[in-house]
């Protein structure tokens, strides 16, 4: 089948990988003018790690990744106030755990299909009409027909908007916004340590990358944002500067790094809850269908898993897309709902809104050095209650 996939992040290229292996003809459609690497740090473990293993990409992913030793919370003077080593995670997961920038993971997957899959960069789906026996699209001003269309285009999915309705109908906001950017030559560097400083409703984190780069992740409660969400680079820098301008720790140096940044990611922290992930010949995948939010910590692994299961369901159905879409959703919806519920319960601890909340979070993380406490706090969340199908 000819299958159009909107989005060249993690889910889209992963789906194209499996569809290509099954003999289909996928086409990737991406709004960015070129493939985007970098982005904030994500963790790969559980079923997503197993899917990457089945793809034969684990060696490259581990080479591109980082084996973080510690999450360290610090006070305004840079003194350790909380945190924990990641041994608790590694013990629970059997060392099947690696961290890397989201875009770098996507790039490893894309290299496995590059030059074998038609990829249209710098364009998007402008119109979509499901005609029953095919789907007619307008892409970059050109009309094309496909057997199926898959929306793997994230929280702000264009495919979802065209086929299912506006974002507002399905978005569940969690009360926070997030921004991320990279800087060259930033000091200090703490190798393999995720360093984080919190204030009421605000969180600044940094992680040292290779090639003398540093990634910054800034999280803030919605009430700190004045006016509409900034759309362009300059407006994003102004908004972040206004929100974090009164903070201490390393903010002056981070502000200088922000001023020099050529790209700044900025978005709200939300989930997507839909009554159905498919309609006719159109199906949603990854964050477009059931975004769990960055608070779940496993969105990329879930995207890999969904791509694998959707391609496998299409293979098992013998081309019956309705049966495949139904089987795909039936298999994965319970897992996604559990992950979304866990993320919502964790939101308040991620960036506490009060000084007491910050103190309590820091004290709780110190207890992670005790094995049975660590198991009680993280064990259930890092183990996926999901049996990965074997599609042969």
């Amino acid at each position: 089948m000819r299958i159009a996939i909107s989005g060249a992040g993690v889910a889209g290229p992963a789906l194209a990988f499996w569809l290509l292996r099954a003999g289909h003809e996928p086409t990737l459609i991406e709004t960015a003018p070129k493939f985007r690497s970098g982005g904030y740090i994500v963790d790969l473990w559980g079923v997503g790690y197993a899917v990457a293993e089945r793809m034969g990409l684990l060696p490259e992913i581990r080479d591109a990744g980082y084996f973080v030793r510690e999450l360290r919370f610090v006070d305004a003077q840079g003194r350790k106030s909380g945190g924990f080593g990641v041994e608790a995670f590694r013990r629970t997961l059997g060392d099947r755990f690696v961290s890397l920038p989201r875009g770098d993971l996507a790039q490893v997957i894309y290299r496995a299909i590059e030059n074998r899959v038609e990829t249209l960069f710098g364009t998007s789906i402008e119109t979509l009409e499901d005609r029953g026996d095919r789907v007619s699209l307008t892409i970059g001003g050109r009309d094309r027909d496909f057997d199926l269309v898959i929306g793997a285009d994230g929280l702000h999915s264009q495919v979802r908007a065209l086929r299912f309705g506006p974002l507002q109908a399905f978005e569940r906001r969690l009360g926070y916004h997030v921004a991320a950017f990279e800087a060259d030559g930033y000091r200090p560097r703490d190798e393999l340590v995720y360093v984080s400083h919190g204030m009421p409703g605000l969180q600044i984190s940094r992680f040292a990358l290779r090639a003398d780069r540093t990634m910054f992740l800034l999280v803030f409660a919605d009430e700190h944002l004045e006016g509409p969400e900034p759309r362009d680079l300059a407006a994003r820098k102004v908004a972040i500067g206004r929100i974090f301008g009164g903070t201490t720790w390393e903010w002056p140096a981070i502000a200088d790094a922000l001023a020099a940044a050529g790209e700044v990611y900025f978005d709200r922290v939300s989930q997507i809850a839909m009554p159905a992930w498919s309609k006719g010949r159109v199906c949603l995948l990854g964050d477009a269908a059931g975004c769990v939010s960055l608070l779940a910590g496993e969105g990329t692994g879930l995207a890999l898993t969904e791509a694998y299961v959707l391609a496998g369901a299409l293979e098992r159905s013998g081309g019956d897309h309705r049966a495949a879409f139904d089987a795909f959703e039936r298999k994965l919806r319970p897992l996604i709902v559990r992950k979304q519920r866990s993320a919502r319960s964790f939101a308040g601890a991620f960036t506490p809104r009060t000084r007491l909340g910050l103190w309590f979070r820091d004290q709780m993380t110190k207890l992670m050095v005790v094995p049975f406490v660590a198991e009680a706090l993280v064990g259930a969340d890092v183990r996926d209650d999901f049996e990965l199908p074997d599609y042969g």
Side-chain angles (χ1 to χ4, degrees):
M1 291 187 288
R2 295 163 300 164
I3 302 176
I5 305 169
S6 178
V10 172
L15 178 62
F17 175 96
W18 292 110
L19 291 176
L20 191 66
R21 178 171 289 189
H24 300 294
E25 298 177 26
T27 294
L28 279 172
I29 304 161
E30 170 57 46
T31 57
K34 62 181 181 179
F35 200 89
R36 292 179 287 196
S37 60
Y40 57 83
I41 297 290
V42 299
D43 301 316
L44 183 64
W45 79 78
V47 289
Y49 193 99
V51 171
E53 190 171 40
R54 293 187 185 186
M55 297 172 81
L57 299 178
L58 266 188
E60 290 180 69
I61 291 171
R62 289 175 70 90
D63 285 347
Y66 299 83
F67 298 91
V68 181
R69 296 196 307 261
E70 179 188 357
L71 167 62
R72 182 187 303 161
F73 293 118
V74 298
D75 62 17
Q77 288 72 45
R79 298 172 303 204
K80 184 174 179 177
S81 59
F84 53 88
V86 300
E87 293 83 4
F89 289 95
R90 298 203 183 282
R91 281 195 304 269
T92 302
L93 298 167
D95 204 35
R96 294 170 63 82
F97 178 93
V98 63
S99 305
L100 70 167
R102 181 186 179 94
D104 291 3
L105 172 61
Q107 196 166 49
V108 170
I109 300 168
Y110 181 70
R111 281 201 298 264
I113 61 170
E114 194 172 14
N115 301 322
R116 298 195 297 140
V117 168
E118 179 186 24
T119 306
L120 307 176
F121 285 110
T123 190
S124 62
I125 297 174
E126 294 148 9
T127 66
L128 183 156
E129 185 177 357
D130 189 335
R131 299 181 181 273
D133 61 341
R134 67 191 187 281
V135 186
S136 296
L137 303 179
T138 304
I139 309 169
R142 293 179 54 207
D143 295 331
R144 293 184 59 175
D145 288 343
F146 292 89
D147 296 298
L148 302 175
V149 174
I150 309 298
D153 41 358
L155 176 67
H156 302 277
S157 170
Q158 174 74 350
V159 171
R160 187 182 60 235
L162 290 170
R163 187 70 175 110
F164 298 84
L167 171 63
Q168 297 90 319
F170 311 110
E171 183 181 17
R172 179 193 291 136
R173 299 193 184 191
L174 299 188
Y176 294 90
H177 277 70
V178 60
F181 66 95
E182 287 186 16
D184 293 322
Y186 183 85
R187 294 296 182 272
R189 286 175 64 87
D190 295 270
E191 303 293 341
L192 301 181
V193 178
Y194 196 88
V195 185
S196 191
H197 174 60
M199 298 135 287
L202 303 171
Q203 193 79 25
I204 305 174
S205 305
R206 59 171 168 81
F207 185 77
L209 303 173
R210 297 182 183 92
D212 203 19
R213 295 174 298 137
T214 297
M215 185 279 300
F216 296 93
L217 181 72
L218 301 96
V219 181
F220 56 93
D222 287 350
E223 55 265 29
H224 290 283
L225 180 64
E226 299 176 4
E229 293 177 353
R231 296 299 178 189
D232 58 56
L233 178 62
R236 289 174 177 181
K237 290 182 178 181
V238 169
I240 295 169
R242 184 169 56 244
I243 292 166
F244 288 89
T247 61
T248 52
W249 187 46
E250 298 174 4
W251 176 251
I254 294 172
D256 290 341
L258 172 65
E263 184 176 352
V264 175
Y265 170 83
F266 193 107
D267 206 352
R268 52 188 175 268
V269 179
S270 295
Q271 295 180 337
I272 294 296
M274 301 188 66
W277 295 349
S278 63
K279 192 182 211 181
R281 289 181 170 269
V282 180
C283 186
L284 301 177
L285 179 69
D287 284 353
C291 178
V292 294
S293 84
L294 66 86
L295 302 184
E298 200 180 357
T300 49
L302 293 173
L304 286 172
T305 304
E306 292 175 48
Y308 172 76
V309 172
L310 178 55
L314 283 168
E315 182 70 9
R316 279 191 177 172
S317 72
D320 182 343
H321 67 277
R322 280 296 351 137
F325 291 167
D326 290 345
F328 160 68
E329 183 170 345
R330 193 164 54 246
K331 182 72 175 174
L332 279 162
R333 181 178 282 276
L335 176 64
I336 298 302
V337 169
R338 285 198 302 274
K339 295 296 182 181
Q340 288 184 329
R341 188 184 305 121
S342 176
R344 291 196 299 274
S345 67
F346 177 63
F350 188 75
T351 304
R353 282 177 158 86
T354 66
R355 293 196 180 279
L356 179 60
L358 286 165
W359 178 87
F360 183 75
R361 180 200 63 183
D362 290 354
Q363 302 313 305
M364 289 297 293
T365 60
K366 291 177 181 178
L367 296 176
M368 293 281 286
V369 298
V370 182
F372 74 86
V373 174
E375 171 65 20
L377 290 176
V378 305
D381 286 335
V382 300
R383 280 194 299 269
D384 295 320
D385 183 17
F386 182 82
E387 183 178 350
L388 196 64
D390 185 355
Y391 296 112

